[in-house]
Amino acid sequence: MKKSFKFINNDKYKIQITLFWASFLIGICLFIGIFIYTALGYLGEMPAFEQLENPKTNLATQIISSDGVVLGKFYYNDNRTPITYEGLPKNIVQALIATEDERYYDHSGIDWYATLRAIYFLGERGGASTITQQLARQLFVGVRSRNKKEAIIQKIKEWVLSIQLERRYTKEEIIAMYLNIYDFGYNADGVRSAAKIFFDSNPENLTIEQSATLVGMLKNSSLYNPIRRPELVTKRRNVVFQQMYRNKLLTKREKDSLSMLDLEIKFTPESHREGLATYFRAYLQDFMKKWTKKNYKADGSTYNLYRDGLKIYTTIDSRLQIIGEESVSEHMKNLQKEFFNQNTEEINPTAPFLNLREGEIDTLLERTARRSERWRKMSNLGLTDDQIFNSFFKKTPMTIFSWDREIDTVMTPMDSIRYYKHFLRASLMSMDPQTGHVKTWVGGFNYKHFQYDQVKQGRRQIGSTFKPFLYATAIDQLKLSPCDSLPDALYCIDAMKHGNIDPWCPKNSGDRYGRMRTLKNALANSVNTVSARIMDMVGPKPVIDLVRKTGVTSRLPNVPSIALGTPDISLFEMVGAYGTFVNKGIYIEPIIITRIENKNGMPLFEVVPNTTDVISQEAAYVTINLLKGVTKYGSGGRLRHAGLEKTNYVYENVVTGYPYIFDNPIAGKTGTTQNQSDGWFIGMVPNLVSGVWVGGEDRSVHFEEIAFGQGATMALPIWALYMKRAYEIPELEISVDDFEEPEKLTINIDCENMLSPKKIKSRKKTNLKELGF
């Protein structure tokens, strides 16, 4: 009976073993079959071989400064800039592997131990997705479906794809791809953007606690959101520390110490309306849109500015851009305070407008409303003009600008238009005159609220900053010397002469006349009567021809009055034109881009400078000599003197940063237009030309008194603050030297020693001491 029992039991045992191995082999075959079935696309579309070799990811276009700083990016949905494995800090790689895939280097895409554990415990002791599977999901599979059947198919696809990815890429490449592809939220696509947006840092500079925070967010960046749920993210970060301790990457003491740290987030969101050089980036975006339409890839398709990962190398210097924006904001905040003081309801009932009747103000405001973004959007929705216009008188919640902070309030859109009219606007541009490289572009002080670019888009009357072109024409054609004298007396150019319809008889500021002035003194003090005499000597046509050669394309009427700066010209044109004087009479077109590369670093565009011979080197140098007189004896003299801040209200309260006490050679010119609607200053040193404009959005918005509204008060302080800060950065190498003199100089510029006794007799009315020489 015992033998019989053993025989039966042994038979059953063999059957069980056979069934086990049969089931096992069938399961293996079935599993392999499913793999093959999935790989062939029978369970849904799978990526082609080419897609596996070159996964499609949208890459943002980078805007890179001349000193290597990323100024911003152009992107549609994905703000992604890739980084290589070598560029990743060691701590983020260790944290990632310890937290997400402990056996990462021991498997080929699927961690079978973790998979069986997840199946057996139904996921209660952790998931089984490897880093490679997570990458496959991000690249090809997509968000996990809530449908169980679809979710299983997605998981099988991930397994297949992870094995294929492991065959084609190294472990290091997979880690880099994963960290580059992940969406951390807030337009932080990839670890480079995440480091910048959450910590204002670069990946290579991430601390271990910052790396652990980002790795913790990989579980679910929407849930583990450091801005909305900092406590939850801190707990998740500490889980990462625990995993690193478990994998012997941290000691217990290090783990405990790091876990005690607060979650320090330095949130710096990246958007087209915020950050550095916003106005420049807006102009560059329009420029690049046109460029992409005219330039093609090898396959004949056009480049996509928002997805092709282009690299645009610009001429902007981030250090100069920062101090430029700071200088504009510092002075404008101070100037605006004084403007508000002078435009209270008691002082000016029509504030911020002067010399306008209420009906004219209503017309101006309505015209502004019709040009607004609000009007455009409502018009696109099909609303009538009356419906749109009426909506401007209904109160609505809004956030408005103030120099202290943004203000949440409720007001009508029409009231908000009038409110914003109170704010004076400003712009600053700086350029290297030898290369044409634009170093600074400040089109305003807050792009979010004031999007009109006053560097290139805005054109305003230029006032006396036009006079150097008149003087340069006379010097180049008539060989006039800065020491030549002309009477400062009322002077008229007759009707029908030089294109005049009526006689033109300009007056001086202050209506003062009555002595002989050298050209140097006349330009330094913006004497209009002397400019009228010189214009009569040369005529407007030669002056216009010269100005055209310096790159100015704005309308220039062929009449004598252009001598006083009546044309509307952009700051961009003016700075480029003034660069001609410093660059020995040769105009070089301002350059904003040096080259463009594709995502692989292949050059697509490299700049070729565009130059024009305008005037002789001698004439350019003599013009510079004249303009040096402006900053020594004339309207730009406040760059050098001190002491008035104790006795003069304007210097104490409005001329921001005074005294400046520059002692290096500076050539420059102020400009003030009629009614003080515009204030200008363009200043030059041998390797930097910088221009500033300040004024209201409308010409009726201005200071009533010239002491406050002149270019020397409104614009010059920005230039002074900017240059003082530039000189504090030795690496910028801003010149303190004098301008280079030509080898041969036939025009005498030494006004103190030039006059012989005979010439004094013929010019006995000229009193050099009286003129400040």
Side-chain angles (χ1 to χ4, degrees):
M1 290 294 294
K2 286 182 182 180
K3 286 182 181 181
S4 174
F5 175 79
K6 282 184 178 181
F7 178 79
I8 294 169
N9 194 41
N10 200 32
D11 260 357
K12 287 184 179 180
Y13 182 67
K14 285 180 179 181
I15 292 170
Q16 289 173 348
I17 291 173
T18 302
L19 288 172
F20 171 79
W21 283 109
S23 301
F24 180 78
L25 290 171
I26 291 170
I28 292 292
C29 291
L30 184 63
F31 190 77
I32 294 172
I34 291 173
F35 257 72
I36 296 171
Y37 200 71
T38 304
L40 292 173
Y42 291 112
L43 289 181
E45 186 179 357
M46 293 288 283
F49 173 80
E50 291 77 12
Q51 287 179 274
L52 289 169
E53 289 291 326
N54 297 288
K56 284 187 178 181
T57 55
N58 294 329
L59 301 179
T61 289
Q62 295 183 78
I63 308 161
I64 303 169
S65 70
S66 61
D67 54 321
V69 174
V70 177
L71 297 173
K73 301 173 187 177
F74 297 135
Y75 56 89
Y76 184 63
N77 287 321
D78 297 342
N79 177 20
R80 181 176 293 107
T81 305
I83 184 172
T84 63
Y85 179 83
E86 290 71 25
L88 293 169
K90 185 179 179 181
N91 55 44
I92 200 169
V93 175
Q94 290 178 335
L96 173 64
I97 293 173
T99 307
E100 296 293 327
D101 195 349
E102 290 177 320
R103 285 171 291 279
Y104 178 67
Y105 287 106
D106 299 326
H107 63 68
S108 298
I110 302 174
D111 185 344
W112 295 111
Y113 174 82
T115 300
L116 293 172
R117 181 194 63 201
I119 293 171
Y120 186 80
F121 291 103
L122 300 177
E124 292 181 3
R125 296 193 181 182
S129 288
T130 63
I131 291 172
T132 316
Q133 287 174 243
Q134 293 179 49
L135 175 62
R137 184 191 310 157
Q138 293 281 336
L139 285 174
F140 305 114
V141 178
V143 180
R144 179 74 74 239
S145 173
R146 294 186 178 182
N147 182 289
K148 288 186 177 181
K149 180 181 177 182
E150 290 179 1
I152 292 170
I153 292 173
Q154 284 180 323
K155 192 66 181 178
I156 295 169
K157 284 184 176 182
E158 287 174 19
W159 285 343
V160 174
L161 290 169
S162 64
I163 292 174
Q164 292 179 338
L165 288 171
E166 291 269 355
R167 290 171 58 188
R168 288 171 172 81
Y169 298 98
T170 66
K171 290 286 187 180
E172 290 75 18
E173 288 173 330
I174 289 171
I175 285 176
M177 289 170 69
Y178 178 56
L179 290 175
N180 280 324
I181 199 71
Y182 192 82
D183 181 1
F184 290 88
Y186 297 101
N187 289 324
D189 298 298
V191 68
R192 187 188 291 277
S193 294
K196 174 65 178 173
I197 289 172
F198 293 114
F199 302 110
D200 194 20
S201 180
N202 295 315
E204 58 269 24
N205 297 325
L206 288 173
T207 63
I208 188 169
E209 58 270 23
Q210 291 170 341
S211 291
T213 300
L214 295 180
V215 168
M217 292 171 66
L218 293 172
K219 186 172 184 179
N220 184 336
S221 59
S222 296
L223 177 63
Y224 297 100
N225 182 323
I227 307 304
R228 297 174 59 191
R229 301 183 184 91
E231 297 86 1
L232 189 62
V233 174
T234 301
K235 290 179 181 179
R236 178 62 186 166
R237 181 202 65 181
N238 292 345
V239 170
V240 176
F241 290 146
Q242 177 62 37
Q243 287 298 108
M244 294 181 76
Y245 166 66
R246 172 180 163 176
N247 286 271
K248 298 182 172 55
L249 298 170
L250 293 176
T251 65
K252 188 175 187 307
R253 184 176 180 181
E254 288 173 331
K255 186 255 302 181
D256 293 340
S257 177
L258 289 168
S259 298
M260 294 294 292
L261 295 175
D262 292 332
L263 186 70
E264 294 187 3
I265 299 295
K266 190 175 181 182
F267 189 51
T268 51
E270 291 187 345
S271 78
H272 302 305
R273 295 187 174 191
E274 297 171 309
L276 192 61
T278 46
Y279 292 90
F280 172 74
R281 287 189 277 131
Y283 171 75
L284 184 63
Q285 186 174 30
D286 288 338
F287 175 90
M288 287 300 301
K289 284 179 180 178
K290 295 173 185 175
W291 184 89
T292 54
K293 289 179 181 178
K294 298 176 183 178
N295 294 269
Y296 301 92
K297 301 178 186 178
D299 62 4
S301 62
T302 57
Y303 286 96
N304 189 309
L305 181 62
Y306 307 104
R307 293 188 172 99
D308 283 343
L310 301 176
K311 293 181 180 179
I312 307 171
Y313 292 88
T314 73
T315 59
I316 298 294
D317 187 298
S318 69
R319 298 161 295 184
L320 284 171
Q321 183 69 29
I322 289 170
I323 62 177
E325 293 184 9
E326 289 174 347
S327 301
V328 168
S329 293
E330 182 178 343
H331 177 60
M332 292 309 296
K333 182 178 181 180
N334 191 39
L335 187 68
Q336 189 66 50
K337 180 180 177 183
E338 181 62 32
F339 189 76
F340 280 142
N341 289 341
Q342 296 186 22
N343 281 276
T344 61
E345 284 189 18
E346 294 78 13
I347 297 173
N348 180 16
T350 61
F353 310 104
L354 284 172
N355 306 317
L356 286 185
R357 297 187 299 273
E358 282 300 331
E360 293 173 317
I361 293 172
D362 292 341
T363 300
L364 187 153
L365 293 175
E366 181 179 345
R367 193 184 310 126
T368 303
R370 289 178 180 276
R371 295 197 306 263
S372 69
E373 183 70 6
R374 176 187 179 89
W375 191 289
R376 186 188 68 81
K377 288 181 177 179
M378 295 181 78
S379 179
N380 289 340
L381 293 174
L383 276 71
T384 66
D385 285 359
D386 287 342
Q387 288 174 318
I388 298 172
F389 186 66
N390 291 335
S391 75
F392 275 77
F393 295 92
K394 296 178 181 178
K395 288 189 175 183
T396 182
M398 62 180 69
T399 301
I400 60 174
F401 171 83
S402 82
W403 273 109
D404 293 326
R405 68 187 192 285
E406 287 188 332
I407 300 172
D408 292 326
T409 187
V410 176
M411 64 168 59
T412 70
M414 191 60 76
D415 285 341
S416 75
I417 289 174
R418 187 161 188 159
Y419 170 77
Y420 277 111
K421 294 286 186 184
H422 282 78
F423 288 91
L424 298 173
R425 314 299 165 85
S427 57
L428 162 68
M429 176 179 153
S430 200
M431 184 189 82
D432 183 329
Q434 278 78 43
T435 63
H437 289 189
V438 176
K439 295 296 181 181
T440 307
W441 182 308
V442 186
F445 44 76
N446 188 299
Y447 187 77
K448 181 178 178 181
H449 292 278
F450 305 92
Q451 293 182 24
Y452 192 78
D453 174 37
Q454 297 288 358
V455 168
K456 202 166 194 301
Q457 193 175 4
R459 285 179 166 84
R460 297 295 292 251
Q461 280 192 350
I462 56 174
S464 293
T465 53
F466 190 86
K467 289 176 181 175
F469 302 120
L470 170 64
Y471 279 69
T473 304
I475 292 166
D476 195 46
Q477 294 191 359
L478 306 178
K479 304 300 178 184
L480 294 186
S481 163
C483 310
D484 288 335
S485 298
L486 289 170
D488 178 7
L490 277 172
Y491 187 86
C492 291
I493 296 179
D494 296 335
M496 309 312 293
K497 186 178 183 182
H498 299 314
N500 265 349
I501 296 176
D502 300 312
W504 182 59
C505 309
K507 295 181 179 181
N508 288 337
S509 176
D511 214 15
R512 289 174 292 187
Y513 315 92
R515 62 181 182 180
M516 296 291 291
R517 289 183 184 268
T518 63
L519 298 191
K520 194 165 192 175
N521 179 274
L523 183 61
N525 292 283
S526 282
V527 179
N528 292 338
T529 57
V530 173
S531 295
R533 291 176 185 275
I534 297 174
M535 177 57 80
D536 200 14
M537 292 179 190
V538 297
K541 183 65 167 60
V543 179
I544 291 172
D545 290 343
L546 182 147
V547 175
R548 288 283 181 233
K549 289 180 182 178
T550 64
V552 175
T553 59
S554 297
R555 181 176 177 271
L556 300 172
N558 188 14
V559 292
S561 62
I562 63 170
L564 306 188
T566 54
D568 291 349
I569 301 178
S570 71
L571 179 62
F572 183 87
E573 293 171 296
M574 289 298 291
V575 172
Y578 265 61
T580 304
F581 301 134
V582 189
N583 197 34
K584 303 178 182 179
I586 300 171
Y587 167 73
I588 182 166
E589 185 178 348
I591 294 168
I592 61 170
I593 298 173
T594 54
R595 72 182 188 279
I596 300 170
E597 293 178 354
N598 67 12
K599 63 181 179 182
N600 299 317
M602 181 182 297
L604 304 175
F605 165 84
E606 290 186 287
V607 70
V608 177
N610 184 17
T611 62
T612 305
D613 291 338
V614 180
I615 54 176
S616 68
Q617 182 180 353
E618 181 181 42
Y621 180 76
V622 173
T623 305
I624 286 290
N625 181 267
L626 282 170
L627 292 169
K628 285 166 65 177
V630 174
T631 67
K632 281 186 177 181
Y633 323 110
S635 55
R638 61 184 64 183
L639 289 172
R640 303 192 182 281
H641 58 61
L644 293 177
E645 74 278 9
K646 299 176 182 177
T647 59
N648 186 293
Y649 176 86
V650 175
Y651 283 88
E652 181 183 0
N653 297 283
V654 187
V655 184
T656 312
Y658 178 86
Y660 312 112
I661 319 179
F662 288 97
D663 58 6
N664 58 295
I666 299 170
K669 187 69 189 79
T670 58
T672 308
T673 62
Q674 190 172 13
N675 296 324
Q676 300 80 244
S677 293
D678 306 272
W680 292 80
F681 183 73
I682 302 176
M684 298 170 282
V685 297
N687 64 350
L688 200 65
V689 179
S690 306
V692 179
W693 168 85
V694 175
E697 181 182 357
D698 301 284
R699 297 188 196 281
S700 55
V701 178
H702 57 81
F703 282 103
E704 190 166 16
E705 298 178 26
I706 195 167
F708 297 95
Q710 63 180 303
T713 301
M714 292 210 297
L716 180 144
I718 292 175
W719 189 94
L721 292 170
Y722 172 71
M723 290 300 292
K724 282 184 75 72
R725 289 165 178 166
Y727 280 126
E728 291 170 358
I729 306 175
E731 296 79 12
L732 293 173
E733 298 182 343
I734 306 300
S735 176
V736 294
D737 299 329
D738 204 346
F739 298 87
E740 184 181 348
E741 184 176 329
E743 291 183 7
K744 186 178 181 182
L745 187 62
T746 62
I747 299 174
N748 201 322
I749 60 174
D750 187 356
C751 299
E752 291 188 21
N753 301 313
M754 73 166 286
L755 297 178
S756 65
K758 289 182 180 179
K759 290 181 178 178
I760 290 175
K761 186 177 180 181
S762 65
R763 302 184 185 182
K764 57 185 178 181
K765 291 185 179 179
T766 303
N767 186 325
L768 295 175
K769 186 175 181 181
E770 182 186 15
L771 299 181
F773 293 94

